[in-house]
Amino acid sequence: MKAIRQQAADILRANDRGGFTIPAAGLYPYQWLWDSCFCALGWATFDEKRAWEELSWLFKGQWPDGMLAHIIFHHPDPSYFPGPEVWATHHDPPTSGITQPPVVATIVRQLLERACDRTLAQDHARQLYPKLLAFHRWLHGARDPEHTGLVAVLHPWETGMDNSPAWDTTLEQVPIVQLPPYQRKDTSHVAETQRPRPKDYDRYLSLVVGYRERGYEPEALYRETSFKVADVGFCALLQRADEDLLALAQMFGEPSAEIEGWLDRGRKGFRKLWDDHSGIYRSLNLSTGESIPVITSASFLPLFAGLPSAEEAQRLVEHLGHWGDEVRYLVPSTDPADPHFEPERYWRGPVWVQVNWLIAQGLKRYGYAALAGRLREDIFELVEGSGFHEYYHPVTGEGLGGRAFSWTAALLLAWPGEG
Ligand code: DGY
């Protein structure tokens, strides 16, 4: 165990670029929003100052309207596409023009709770609080202007689960625009069979071009986009992050009514995502009002936010049990019984460490400690058997995607103490 922890710390150090951690050399050479949050948890296990630094660097990518960008291009690097010139956001440092799952308030609270250096943690959390609040205000304003309680994502990359089959039908409605010839770099680092397909990339880029042409103006994007989804994963993580933001507000004696309002709205909005017939949560295509049939690992994230009733949680656990009958390692990113399940291809089947970590905490919240333990054991077995990969084959356990991957290393460090 000591050796594996040592390896994990070495990976974080090797991926450290002086203030921020890249997810993986070559494949992802910049700072990514939700990756960095998990990295901070890992850093905190042996260098708390460095953990807070990670988050400070993240907020260099915050826009004046509060948005936190999903990539911050701190230093130019030719190994990644689409780079800053494609996004052309005019932010300094250059950033992408979209966001990613909002786990940062949750991570700030966890860093505070785990802190050995209480003063350091209090000072940093206090300083970050207004920036976190601005980010949440942006999410609830720009992405839920009609106050439905369901915040929209406008690009599959915002969900963090880029090529999930849950987005297929919605993405097919995105018109492919005239794109200048481009060369993907990801498939020069990782086998094509483990990455999104070319037709998906054309549409990812078409969305970016459309947003760039609209100057990333939030109202225009929300009104005119051809990809508008209430992602059960993103919404659940925001609901949990609102809960954590509320705890921070109370700790710092800040007003809390606005946050309580978001939480209340979120709980009501979430009822629209619950499918009582199947006993599962489903994402919603906000352009058509249609529920998305494909069930993914995101459907279990509401547990992390305390959203299901005890009975609903039991039904979610039953689904997980069926998934566990189909694959050796939980939690595959797509229902293994779904025809779109592809055990090797990025978000279409593989197991992801951070998703297991989030779902396991959700399970513990509802008293399913044994199943939470299984999710943790599966991850440790995968890492011990195959190394620190980006994701893993849920049947064979083969390591897939990027190697020496930062969030895998970080969560290996941050998870053991929790049981
Ligand atoms: C990528 O490039 O694959 C990222 O997921 C987009 O953020």
Side-chain angles (χ1 to χ4, degrees), residues 84-120:
E85 63 296 336
V86 175
W87 289 96
T89 57
H90 308 297
H91 188 273
D92 182 21
T95 67
S96 69
I98 56 172
T99 191
Q100 237 183 359
V103 293
V104 60
T106 298
I107 299 300
V108 167
R109 186 178 178 197
Q110 295 223 0
L111 288 182
L112 253 179
E113 283 173 356
R114 295 165 183 223
C116 296
D117 190 338
R118 299 284 316 160
T119 314
L120 178 87

Side-chain angles (χ1 to χ4, degrees), residues 132-290:
L132 291 170
L133 182 63
F135 179 39
H136 284 229
R137 262 190 196 140
W138 178 84
L139 286 162
H140 288 286
R143 294 306 181 79
D144 183 18
E146 288 139 35
H147 298 174
T148 64
L150 293 174
V151 160
V153 287
L154 306 186
H155 196 296
W157 287 341
E158 289 198 320
T159 70
M161 303 191 179
D162 307 7
N163 69 336
S164 167
W167 318 139
D168 286 359
T169 313
T170 317
L171 198 60
E172 272 161 26
Q173 301 310 311
V174 171
I176 298 179
V177 301
Q178 189 78 34
L179 296 164
Y182 67 92
Q183 196 174 6
R184 283 172 65 175
K185 304 275 175 76
D186 56 323
T187 43
S188 66
H189 303 291
V190 170
E192 270 177 44
T193 52
Q194 298 172 22
R195 292 289 302 173
R197 294 195 160 86
K199 68 176 170 56
D200 295 332
Y201 249 79
D202 284 347
R203 293 198 162 90
Y204 297 156
L205 291 174
S206 295
L207 285 169
V208 171
V209 168
Y211 297 166
R212 189 180 68 200
E213 281 168 358
R214 289 168 178 79
Y216 301 100
E217 204 277 303
E219 277 176 31
L221 265 49
Y222 186 87
R223 206 176 42 238
E224 292 161 27
T225 185
S226 46
F227 186 94
K228 185 158 41 181
V229 165
D231 165 22
V232 65
F234 191 101
C235 291
L237 293 175
L238 177 58
Q239 182 78 10
R240 170 58 190 256
D242 280 336
E243 211 177 78
D244 293 317
L245 191 69
L246 178 65
L248 294 174
Q250 287 163 346
M251 204 179 297
F252 297 136
E254 294 285 344
S256 59
E258 184 181 13
I259 306 172
E260 281 159 10
W262 295 334
L263 281 164
D264 194 40
R265 218 151 72 191
R267 273 187 293 270
K268 290 186 187 127
F270 240 90
R271 298 317 303 160
K272 289 178 239 161
L273 304 188
W274 176 251
D275 169 358
D276 199 44
H277 177 70
S278 313
I280 195 83
Y281 289 98
R282 297 175 191 277
S283 296
L284 194 64
N285 179 339
L286 291 171
S287 304
T288 61
E290 282 164 19

Side-chain angles (χ1 to χ4, degrees), residues 28 32 70-71 80-82 100 157 162 186 195-196 201 346:
Y28 303 116
W32 261 261
H70 99 295
I71 310 176
Y80 180 80
F81 177 87
Q100 237 183 359
W157 287 341
D162 307 7
D186 56 323
R195 292 289 302 173
Y201 249 79
Y346 207 38

Side-chain angles (χ1 to χ4, degrees), residues 2-25:
K2 181 141 186 274
I4 202 165
R5 290 182 66 82
Q6 191 57 54
Q7 283 174 43
D10 289 346
I11 287 172
L12 286 186
R13 288 197 193 92
N15 288 340
D16 184 7
R17 292 294 177 272
F20 71 97
T21 314
I22 59 165

